[in-house]
């Protein structure tokens, strides 16, 4: 097994993060400094920054209703970081990001492979949001949002958009550009007043209260893994 996959499955970090640690010389195998692409069989003593990698932990999958103001970072020096906010006793990390001024569903896990699979842009994985803006939602606005908006030197993928009330609409994205919905609205002369994510693939926010989290059910986990294998 490649070393970066071994570290990912051991819950240490994602494969990408593992490669960075290896490049920095922070990973050793049987007391020699590991190199990128190195293979392990499982019996070796693997250490990261001098600490031995233990047995593979149980997989953890959590759904959090992130409140406004919480930062989706694993850097615990950042005020109001999501790791300290959740306070889970084992190492976990968020899958992707949800802007600090935004709220709603974000998944956290220790499964680096699942996280990477969800985040790969080519898979067109759906994320659904409810958005409130500063002026009435018109049919022209909905049509432009749904057909693609020029931002960040590209044009957003076509997406599903539906009006909910005078100033509120739902949108289902299959990509994750930086501050995408806010930038799309701004490009069309609108400002986002409230943005809430209510679904990631098959996982729904439901009635989970703001600031609360729950473990995913076994059926949710199995269905999630089936979707990302497609």
């Amino acid at each position: 097994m490649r070393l970066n996959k071994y570290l990912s499955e051991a819950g240490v970090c994602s494969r990408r993060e593992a490669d960075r640690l290896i490049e920095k010389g922070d990973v050793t195998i049987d007391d020699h400094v590991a190199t990128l692409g190195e293979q392990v069989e499982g019996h070796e003593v693997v250490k990261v920054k001098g600490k031995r990698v233990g047995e593979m932990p149980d997989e953890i999958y959590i759904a959090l209703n992130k409140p406004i103001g919480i930062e989706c970072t694993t850097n615990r020096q950042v005020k109001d970081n999501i790791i300290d906010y959740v306070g889970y006793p084992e190492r976990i990390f968020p899958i992707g990001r949800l802007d600090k001024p935004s709220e709603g569903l974000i998944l956290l896990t220790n499964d680096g492979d699942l996280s990477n699979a969800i985040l790969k842009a080519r898979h067109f994985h759906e994320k659904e949001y409810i958005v409130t803006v500063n002026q009435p939602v018109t049919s022209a606005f909905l049509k432009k949002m749904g057909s693609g908006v020029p931002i960040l030197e590209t044009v957003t993928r076509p997406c599903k958009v539906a009006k909910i009330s005078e100033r509120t609409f739902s949108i289902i994205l299959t990509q994750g550009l930086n501050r995408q919905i806010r930038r799309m609205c701004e490009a069309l002369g609108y400002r986002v007043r409230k943005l809430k994510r209510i679904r990631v693939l098959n996982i729904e926010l439901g009635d989970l209260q703001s600031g609360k989290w729950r473990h995913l059910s076994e059926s949710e986990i199995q269905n999630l893994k089936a979707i990302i294998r497609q």
Side-chain angles (χ1 to χ4, degrees):
M1 179 187 298
R2 286 176 66 93
L3 179 57
N4 61 357
K5 183 178 182 184
Y6 174 83
L7 293 175
S8 174
E9 293 190 357
V12 175
C13 57
S14 68
R15 293 191 192 186
R16 185 174 297 175
E17 290 169 345
D19 284 339
R20 284 198 288 265
L21 289 170
I22 295 166
E23 286 183 320
K24 288 171 60 181
D26 289 337
V27 183
T28 60
I29 302 174
D30 290 337
D31 295 325
H32 76 266
V33 177
T35 57
L36 283 174
E38 196 161 349
Q39 301 281 328
V40 291
E41 296 179 6
H43 57 76
E44 301 90 345
V45 175
V46 179
K47 294 181 181 179
V48 176
K49 296 183 178 179
K51 293 184 178 181
R52 182 169 180 172
V53 177
E55 294 180 354
M56 292 185 185
D58 292 336
E59 293 174 335
I60 301 165
Y61 304 101
I62 286 173
L64 166 70
N65 187 345
K66 186 191 87 67
I68 294 170
I70 298 301
E71 189 91 30
C72 291
T73 177
T74 56
N75 184 351
R76 301 179 79 167
Q77 294 182 345
V78 174
K79 183 183 177 182
D80 298 323
N81 69 82
I82 196 169
I83 302 303
D84 286 339
Y85 181 81
V86 174
Y88 199 77
E90 298 178 50
R91 180 190 175 278
I92 55 174
F93 50 87
I95 301 177
R97 295 180 59 82
L98 194 56
D99 290 344
K100 190 172 181 178
S102 302
E103 61 183 318
L105 179 62
I106 186 157
L107 305 179
L108 298 102
T109 187
N110 62 349
D111 185 340
D113 285 344
L114 180 130
S115 176
N116 289 338
I118 290 176
L119 295 176
K120 284 180 180 175
R122 68 175 182 268
H123 289 165
F124 289 72
H125 291 145
E126 289 189 350
K127 298 180 181 70
E128 184 172 359
Y129 303 79
I130 303 295
V131 187
T132 301
V133 288
N134 65 332
Q135 56 184 302
V137 173
T138 65
S139 57
F141 169 78
L142 294 174
K143 183 177 180 180
K144 290 176 182 177
M145 286 288 285
S147 59
V149 179
I151 61 169
L152 298 173
E153 299 181 351
T154 187
V155 177
T156 58
R157 289 176 186 163
C159 58
K160 300 175 184 176
V161 188
K163 185 173 180 177
I164 295 176
S165 64
E166 185 183 28
R167 300 192 178 197
T168 303
F169 65 95
S170 66
I171 183 168
I172 300 174
L173 299 182
T174 58
Q175 64 185 141
L177 301 177
N178 180 255
R179 298 180 67 250
Q180 180 171 345
I181 295 172
R182 295 179 188 276
R183 292 180 189 275
M184 290 171 72
C185 289
E186 288 168 6
L188 299 178
Y190 284 69
R191 286 194 176 275
V192 171
R193 294 301 187 205
K194 183 176 180 182
L195 194 156
K196 184 174 186 178
R197 185 156 65 194
I198 62 170
R199 180 171 65 87
V200 175
L201 293 124
N202 64 304
I203 310 301
E204 297 186 2
L205 184 64
D207 58 4
L208 187 64
Q209 294 182 352
S210 179
K212 301 298 184 181
W213 60 268
R214 65 175 179 84
H215 289 284
L216 299 190
S217 69
E218 189 60 34
S219 63
E220 284 178 318
I221 295 168
Q222 294 308 314
N223 288 337
L224 181 60
K225 289 182 175 181
I227 291 170
I228 65 174
R229 283 196 299 265
Q230 293 176 359

